[in-house]
Amino acid sequence: ARANAMRHSSRTNAARRVTNDARHSSTLARAMTREDRAERGGASSGDRATRRDATTAQRLTFLAMAPVFALSFQLSIFASTDGARVDRRARRSPGFEWGKFMTRSVANARFKLAPGSGTLAREKRRTVWLCNHRAWSDFFLDIYLTEGRAFTMSRMLVAYAFPLFMVPAMVCGVVFGFKRDAGDKEKLNAALDAHFDAFGGEFAGMVCYPEGTRNVRENSMPLKRGMLRYAHSRKMAVQCVCTARKERVFSSHLTCAERGLALPVYFAEVIHAEDYPDFEDFYNEIRSRWDNAWSAANGVSAAEAESLPDYTPREHVVRCTPRHDAVIVSSALLTVLGVALTWRACSKLL
C-alpha cells in the first residue's frame, strides 16, 4: 500500500510540473505577444539598436574595456581610497569595491528604479538574489547592485579565460567556481554551505542566474530548479532582481560595449522559503515574481529610463582579513611585474 501511495504521489507531482510548465509557457507567449505589439507600435530607436549588429564605436569600446576587465580586480584595489581607513573592522568589501570600480569608473553605468520596484533585501539571513544573465557585464553589475553582500556563482571555465581576475576574486570569496557537469547536486550544495561558513558571515547571500544560461532574447526562459531547491531546503530568502540592457554595457556575445547607459532595475518582493512547505508552491511563486520583474525592467524604453529615479547601492563594510591582505599584496606585485614586462617589451621594440 505504501509503494502504491508513493507511485501515486510521484505521478501527481509530475502532472503538476507539466501543468505548471504549460501555464508558464502560455504566460511567456502572451508576454512576447505584448512585446511584439509594442515594438510594432513604435519602440524607441535606442531599443531597436540592441538587436542590430554592434557599431564600430561599440566594438572599439569593447576592445578597450576587455583588458581592463581582465585586470579589473587588481585595478579596483589601486583605485580604492579605502586603504586610508585605520579601522580594519570596517573596510569596504572587495566585491563592492570591484563592482563599483567597473560599474561607475569604467562603464559609467547608472541604475534606475523601474516603476513599482522595491529595494534590495538587506535581511539578516542568507538570501539568494536571482538575476537575469545577459553578458559578461552581469558579474560586476549584479555584485555592485547587491552592494557586495553576495558572492556570485561562475563556471570554472571562466577562470581559464580570465585567471588574473578570477584567482583573487575566488580567494576573497567573491566568486564561487563550480563545474556545470559535476553531477552530484548534494556535493555542490555542501560546497556552497562550506563557502558561506568559510567567510564568517562576510556574505549575506549569493547571486544566482536561474535561467541557467545567457539569454539576450526579449522573453525569459524557464527557470532551473537546482538552486531553488537548495534555497528551499536551507529555508533561505529569495529576491528576484532583473536589470534591462546589461548586454549593451559589456558583451562578448555581441562584441560591443557602451558607456554612460541608464539601466532600469526592478527589485521584487522577498520570498521566504519557510512560508512554502511544498516546493512546487515555492517555485511557482518565484516564477510569478520573476516574470513580473522581467516585464517591469524590460518594459522601460531608453528614453523613459532617463527620467526614472536613480538607485545608488549602499556601501557595504566588512572586517579586513588576511585573505584581503594577501590579495592586495599579490595584486601590487603582479602590477609591478606587468609594468616591468611591458616596459621591457616596448624598449626592445624601440
Side-chain angles (χ1 to χ4, degrees):
R2 187 182 298 116
N4 290 334
M6 291 178 64
R7 284 195 295 270
H8 177 72
S9 177
S10 177
R11 288 194 296 269
T12 301
N13 289 334
R16 290 173 63 188
R17 284 195 294 270
V18 171
T19 302
N20 290 334
D21 289 342
R23 187 184 300 117
H24 184 235
S25 299
S26 176
T27 300
L28 291 181
R30 289 195 300 271
M32 188 164 54
T33 302
R34 288 195 299 270
E35 291 170 356
D36 291 341
R37 285 199 300 266
E39 182 181 343
R40 290 193 296 269
S44 68
S45 59
D47 289 339
R48 287 196 297 269
T50 64
R51 294 185 289 275
R52 296 200 302 260
D53 291 336
T55 64
T56 301
Q58 290 172 334
R59 293 185 186 278
L60 291 175
T61 304
F62 174 82
L63 294 176
M65 285 182 63
V68 177
F69 177 73
L71 295 169
S72 57
F73 215 88
Q74 288 83 0
L75 294 174
S76 68
I77 292 173
F78 288 99
S80 171
T81 58
D82 201 46
R85 295 191 183 190
V86 178
D87 189 358
R88 290 173 57 86
R89 296 171 299 178
R91 297 282 185 90
R92 287 192 289 268
S93 69
F96 179 85
E97 290 282 50
W98 170 62
K100 181 180 179 181
F101 169 73
M102 284 298 299
T103 303
R104 300 279 294 276
S105 301
V106 179
N108 191 30
R110 296 159 292 136
F111 294 122
K112 298 285 189 172
L113 282 179
S117 172
T119 57
L120 181 72
R122 300 184 182 90
E123 301 186 9
K124 293 182 178 180
R125 57 181 297 175
R126 291 183 181 178
T127 304
V128 176
W129 285 283
L130 302 178
C131 302
N132 55 324
H133 187 17
R134 308 285 286 187
W136 279 356
S137 58
D138 296 349
F139 290 111
F140 56 83
L141 289 173
D142 293 333
I143 288 293
Y144 183 49
L145 195 58
T146 54
E147 303 175 347
R149 299 172 182 273
F151 62 85
T152 186
M153 300 180 67
S154 174
R155 288 184 295 165
M156 288 298 295
L157 183 63
V158 180
Y160 298 108
F162 297 102
L164 293 178
F165 152 66
M166 283 289 286
V167 171
M170 291 175 69
V171 170
C172 288
V174 176
V175 174
F176 174 82
F178 71 98
K179 295 181 180 179
R180 172 173 286 184
D181 299 324
D184 192 341
K185 299 254 192 268
E186 288 306 315
K187 283 187 178 180
L188 176 61
N189 293 346
L192 285 169
D193 292 337
H195 191 86
F196 274 114
D197 296 336
F199 291 90
E202 181 175 337
F203 299 104
M206 65 180 183
V207 168
C208 178
Y209 298 104
E211 294 172 286
T213 187
R214 178 185 57 224
N215 176 22
V216 295
R217 295 180 298 182
E218 293 187 1
N219 57 294
S220 171
M221 299 172 63
L223 307 186
K224 302 292 185 181
R225 295 170 180 263
M227 284 298 99
L228 302 185
R229 289 190 184 277
Y230 172 78
H232 187 258
S233 66
R234 270 60 174 180
K235 299 296 186 288
M236 301 172 75
V238 176
Q239 184 178 38
C240 299
V241 183
C242 287
T243 309
R245 289 189 283 279
K246 291 191 290 184
E247 70 278 6
R248 290 178 55 182
V249 177
F250 184 60
S251 171
S252 62
H253 180 67
L254 301 175
T255 321
C256 74
E258 194 171 346
R259 300 184 75 251
L261 292 173
L263 307 177
V265 57
Y266 186 93
F267 294 96
E269 292 184 18
V270 181
I271 302 169
H272 299 103
E274 63 270 19
D275 294 338
Y276 300 87
D278 183 75
F279 173 75
E280 289 302 319
D281 294 337
F282 178 67
Y283 177 80
N284 290 335
E285 185 63 27
I286 289 174
R287 199 158 57 180
S288 173
R289 298 194 189 187
W290 172 268
D291 289 341
N292 290 338
W294 180 283
S295 299
N298 288 283
V300 179
S301 69
E304 292 170 338
E306 293 292 345
S307 62
L308 294 175
D310 292 322
Y311 179 80
T312 303
R314 297 180 188 175
E315 181 180 286
H316 177 54
V317 296
V318 297
R319 179 185 293 273
C320 187
T321 68
R323 289 176 183 265
H324 300 166
D325 295 332
V327 169
I328 291 173
V329 173
S330 62
S331 297
L333 293 176
L334 283 173
T335 302
V336 171
L337 178 62
V339 171
L341 291 175
T342 303
W343 177 266
R344 183 178 180 181
C346 292
S347 298
K348 288 184 176 181
L349 291 176
L350 297 175

